[in-house]
Amino acid sequence: MTRREWLLSDYPQSRRQARAGQSYRTWLALKSNRLAMVGLWIVLALVAMAIFAPLIAPYDPLIGGDLRLDRLQPPSWEHLMGTDDLARDIFSRVMHGARLTLMVVALVAVIATPIGLAIGTTAGYLGGWVDVVLMRVTDIFLAFPRLILALAFVSALGPGIENAIIAIALTSWPPYARLARAETLTIRDSDFINAARLQGASRLRILWGHVTPLCLSSVIVRVTLDMAGIILTAAGLGFLGLGAQPPQPEWGAMIAGGRRFIIDYWWVATMPGIAIFVVSLGFNLLGDGLRDVLDPKAVK
């Protein structure tokens, strides 16, 4: 039996083979979606940029050149994306800005996803007054636009990339909680849940051992689709001066610094704007592909 036949076997002989086969089928389904693969390559390019930025960037992102000769130079072979008002190479700053963008996306996902999952599954499974209290708190967060609420948190915590990450995470979990609750309501009275309950499994064991894994795929898809919104929120905070602080090469802050020259020196603000657009598009395409693959209700 070849490795492919082993992975695609309809009668797996072990749990490891079943999991490996499911992962391989998921990859084949994702691979068949061309737009999803485009999104995946864009995301992988972002990761590569973040890892190898010191090797790719030809100049120091924080130190500029001669202000008399290199300030506000248009795109050329020497400076692929031109230079800004402090004679810093924009291409180098965009490369290093990928690190900040990836850090924001990763940390917000790590912080917000467990919070949303825990609140949503707990509210959906326990019901009663617990559901009422948790969902009303969720409704309060959902009543405010994400950027406005993030601005309020950052204003209270103070400007900075760390506080911006905390603020974005605190405003990102409510949709995940809503989705996890809806998924939990559809499975909490299933036969296998009742069987686990009759065997003496505790509520905590059922929540984290049975309910949460079933809700995880839908939440992962939603998180991937929200990555673009997270990037835009971080860029918005940076644009307003409440996110990453100068001289950090954050894309939103770079656009804010270049808006004064948008008419005569368009590349200063346009280049980081294109980076935000491409990365946001990549996450959206990848999220759409994952939704098609991981949605259990989708027609295969």
Side-chain angles (χ1 to χ4, degrees), residues 25 71 144 168 200 204 239-240 253:
R25 288 185 176 90
R71 181 176 181 269
F144 298 92
I168 297 172
L204 186 62
F239 182 85
L240 296 173

Side-chain angles (χ1 to χ4, degrees), residues 23-42:
S23 299
Y24 185 65
R25 288 185 176 90
T26 301
W27 164 248
L28 291 179
L30 183 65
K31 189 177 179 180
S32 64
N33 189 327
R34 294 183 179 180
L35 290 178
M37 293 305 296
V38 171
L40 178 61
W41 281 113
I42 292 175

Side-chain angles (χ1 to χ4, degrees), residues 90-114:
I90 296 176
F91 177 76
S92 300
R93 289 178 62 78
V94 169
M95 292 297 106
H96 283 269
R99 288 187 163 188
L100 289 176
T101 299
L102 190 63
M103 180 182 69
V104 170
V105 167
L107 290 180
V108 169
V110 168
I111 296 172
T113 304

Side-chain angles (χ1 to χ4, degrees), residues 110-134:
V110 168
I111 296 172
T113 304
I115 295 175
L117 263 177
I119 292 177
T121 53
T122 302
Y125 183 74
L126 297 181
W129 66 268
V130 176
D131 184 22
V132 172
V133 172
L134 292 179

